[in-house]
Amino acid sequence: MADAKVIPFDDDRDRSRAPGSPGRGSGDASGVSGAGRAGGPRTGGQAGPGEEPGPGGARGARRGGAGRRSRLTAVSGRRPEPVEDAGEPSGQHGPDAAAAGAGPEGSAGADGSAVRRGAAGPAAAERPAAAEEPAGLLERVLGTEWEARAAEGLAFLRRRLTGEYEVDDFGFDEELTDQVLMTLLRPVFEKYFRVEVRGVENIPADGAALVVANHSGTLPLDGLMLQVAVHDEHPADRHLRLLGADLVFVLPLVNELARKAGHTLACAEDAQTLLERGEVVGVMPEGFKGLGKPFADRYKLQRFGRGGFVSTALRAGAPIVPCSIVGAEEIYPMIGNSRTLARLFGFPYFPVTPTFPWLGPLGAVPLPTKWTIQFGEPLPTDGYPPEAAEDPMLMFNLTDQVRETIQHTLYKLLVRRRSVFF
C-alpha cells in the first residue's frame, strides 16, 4: 500500500496536457493534487522533486491538507466552505484552478498558479442584491426622489407648526397654495377635466395684468381651473389673484381657503392695489348671472356690468387679457332653479340638474367634460391718459370690445370641439 496512488476522475484531462506544461509536475502522478497543476501544495504542504513551492504552498502547510479536501470535493461534487487567511487572498486548488485563474475572478501567477482576487462566491454575491431590494421597492412605489419629497414634507409641517411662514395683507399663503392647494387641484385639472390651455404666453412674464374670463358651470370650478392653468402652464409659474363675490367670503371654510389661495373681494380698491404691486388679477364680470344661467343659454355671455374692471386697468396701466373657457357649462347642466330654496338658504339661485338633488351628495359630482382655456392677445391700456378712467364712453367701448372678443372665441372653440367629453 505504500506505493498506491490516488488518481481522481479527471486524471485523463490532466494526461492530455503537454509534458512540461505549468499544469503538471515533473512526471510524478501525485502532482494531481500538488503544486504541479495549480501551484498549490501537496497533501502535506511539501513541494515535489524539482518543483518550487507555489504561492499557495505555505498556505497549504498551514491549513494541514487543503489539497486532500480539493480531491474529495472533486469526487463528491460538494463545494467546500471557503477558507480565507487574514491579509492575503486564497489560492484555488483542484483540477480547474489554472482555468479559473485566467478568468475574470482570478489571475495566473508567474509559475502557473491561480490566485483569487477575493471573489466572495455565489452566496455572497446574492447578499447585496437582497439588501438593495427594499430600496428598489420604495423607488417603484414612491418614485426615485421620494427621500427628497419626504424631507420637504417634514420641513413644511415643521414650518406650519412653528408659524415660520409668510402671508401678505390679503391673507395669501403662497407656500400653502403651491404645496397643498395646487397639489389637490392638479389631478382634477389634468386627469378629470383634461384641460387644454392655449395662448398662456399672452400673460406677461412679470408686471401687472388683468385676466377677464367668462363664468359658468353652476359652481365656480372654472375659476379654480383658471388659477391652475396660469400657475402650471405659464413659464413664470405666476399666481392668479381672483376677485370673488361677497358670498365667497361669508361662507365658513370657503372664506379661509379663498384667502389662503390669494383671492380677494371684487372691489375696485383691492383690484387696483394688486395691480399696482404687479400681480396677475382675474375677474369674471358676469358674476352670478353667468354662473347660474340655465343650460339653454350656455355659452351666451351675460351683461358685463358697468365696466368697473376696465376703469381699474386704466388707472393701473395694466393690459387686459381676454380669456375664453369651454367645457364648464356642461359639468352641471342646470335645467331648473328653485327660487324658494334659494331664498331659504340665502343663495342667489338653487340649481336643479339631472342628478341633483335627486341623487343626493352623488349628484354634486361634476360630469367629466373636456375643457379648453384660451387666452387672447392683450389689450394695452398704458397709452391712455390718466383721466381716461373717468370717461364713460371709453370704458363702455373697451368693455364691449373685451366681451365681443371672448364671445367670438367661444364660438370658434365650440365649432372645433369634437365632443363634450372628448
Side-chain angles (χ1 to χ4, degrees):
M1 297 299 291
D3 296 333
K5 300 176 181 177
V6 180
I7 301 177
F9 67 94
D10 56 351
D11 186 68
D12 291 340
R13 182 172 53 185
D14 290 337
R15 290 177 182 273
S16 64
R17 297 178 181 175
S21 63
R24 290 185 59 86
S26 57
D28 188 2
S30 61
V32 172
S33 63
R37 181 163 56 252
R42 289 181 179 269
T43 304
Q46 303 295 328
E51 298 173 351
E52 293 294 335
R59 290 196 300 274
R62 288 194 298 269
R63 290 173 186 162
R68 260 196 317 273
R69 288 196 296 270
S70 298
R71 290 199 303 273
L72 293 176
T73 301
V75 175
S76 63
R78 292 178 297 175
R79 184 184 299 276
E81 295 295 329
V83 180
E84 298 290 341
D85 291 318
E88 59 179 346
S90 63
Q92 290 190 3
H93 307 283
D96 299 328
E105 296 182 353
S107 61
D111 56 350
S113 60
V115 181
R116 300 271 300 175
R117 292 182 181 174
E126 295 175 357
R127 284 195 294 270
E132 294 175 359
E133 185 175 354
L137 179 61
L138 289 175
E139 290 180 357
R140 288 194 298 270
V141 174
L142 303 177
T144 57
E145 299 179 356
W146 68 271
E147 292 183 347
R149 291 198 300 269
E152 292 177 359
L154 292 175
F156 172 78
L157 290 177
R158 180 185 63 80
R159 289 192 295 270
R160 307 314 294 188
L161 293 175
T162 58
E164 299 177 1
Y165 58 92
E166 297 180 357
V167 296
D168 65 6
D169 49 352
F170 288 95
F172 175 45
D173 191 337
E174 182 175 354
E175 184 183 42
L176 181 67
T177 301
D178 292 341
Q179 300 294 331
V180 179
L181 300 182
M182 288 294 111
T183 303
L184 295 176
L185 293 174
R186 193 168 290 120
V188 181
F189 178 88
E190 297 177 351
K191 306 298 182 181
Y192 196 78
F193 293 134
R194 296 146 292 151
V195 182
E196 179 183 356
V197 180
R198 303 176 183 176
V200 70
E201 65 277 0
N202 289 319
I203 299 176
D206 54 11
L210 181 64
V211 178
V212 182
N214 60 307
H215 204 16
S216 62
T218 305
L219 291 181
L221 295 182
D222 52 355
L224 299 178
M225 296 299 104
L226 183 61
Q227 184 181 10
V228 179
V230 174
H231 181 270
D232 286 4
E233 301 296 330
H234 196 277
D237 296 335
R238 304 206 63 180
H239 289 278
L240 180 67
R241 310 292 294 270
L242 285 171
L243 303 178
D246 299 349
L247 180 62
V248 175
F249 300 97
V250 298
L251 295 175
L253 184 62
V254 176
N255 173 31
E256 294 295 329
L257 291 177
R259 291 289 184 183
K260 293 291 185 181
H263 311 323
T264 188
L265 191 64
C267 63
E269 293 77 9
D270 289 357
Q272 186 170 352
T273 301
L274 290 174
L275 289 175
E276 290 175 351
R277 294 180 183 180
E279 300 284 352
V280 179
V281 180
V283 60
M284 295 176 169
E286 292 179 278
F288 290 120
K289 298 187 301 293
L291 191 65
K293 64 176 176 286
F295 187 69
D297 295 334
R298 60 190 180 279
Y299 298 115
K300 296 178 182 179
L301 293 183
Q302 305 298 305
R303 185 171 174 269
F304 265 24
R306 293 172 294 180
F309 67 92
V310 173
S311 175
T312 303
L314 288 171
R315 289 189 177 94
I320 300 175
V321 181
C323 177
S324 303
I325 304 174
V326 169
E329 295 274 13
E330 295 88 1
I331 59 173
Y332 296 111
M334 187 171 169
I335 58 177
N337 179 18
S338 177
R339 301 183 183 277
T340 302
L341 292 177
R343 288 193 299 268
L344 178 62
F345 292 106
F347 296 155
Y349 57 89
F350 190 90
V352 177
T353 71
T355 58
F356 183 83
W358 325 113
L359 299 182
L362 187 61
V365 178
L367 297 178
T369 59
K370 177 72 171 61
W371 286 34
T372 301
I373 298 178
Q374 179 163 333
F375 298 92
E377 294 185 2
L379 179 65
T381 61
D382 53 356
Y384 294 93
E387 60 272 13
E390 306 298 333
D391 187 351
M393 289 302 298
L394 177 62
M395 286 192 298
F396 176 80
N397 291 334
L398 291 178
T399 301
D400 189 62
Q401 181 180 351
V402 173
R403 184 180 180 277
E404 290 299 320
T405 300
I406 297 174
Q407 184 68 80
H408 285 299
T409 305
L410 288 174
Y411 289 150
K412 292 179 181 178
L413 293 176
L414 290 172
V415 170
R416 298 173 185 173
R417 185 171 67 167
R418 298 178 303 170
S419 170
V420 174
F421 299 100
F422 304 101

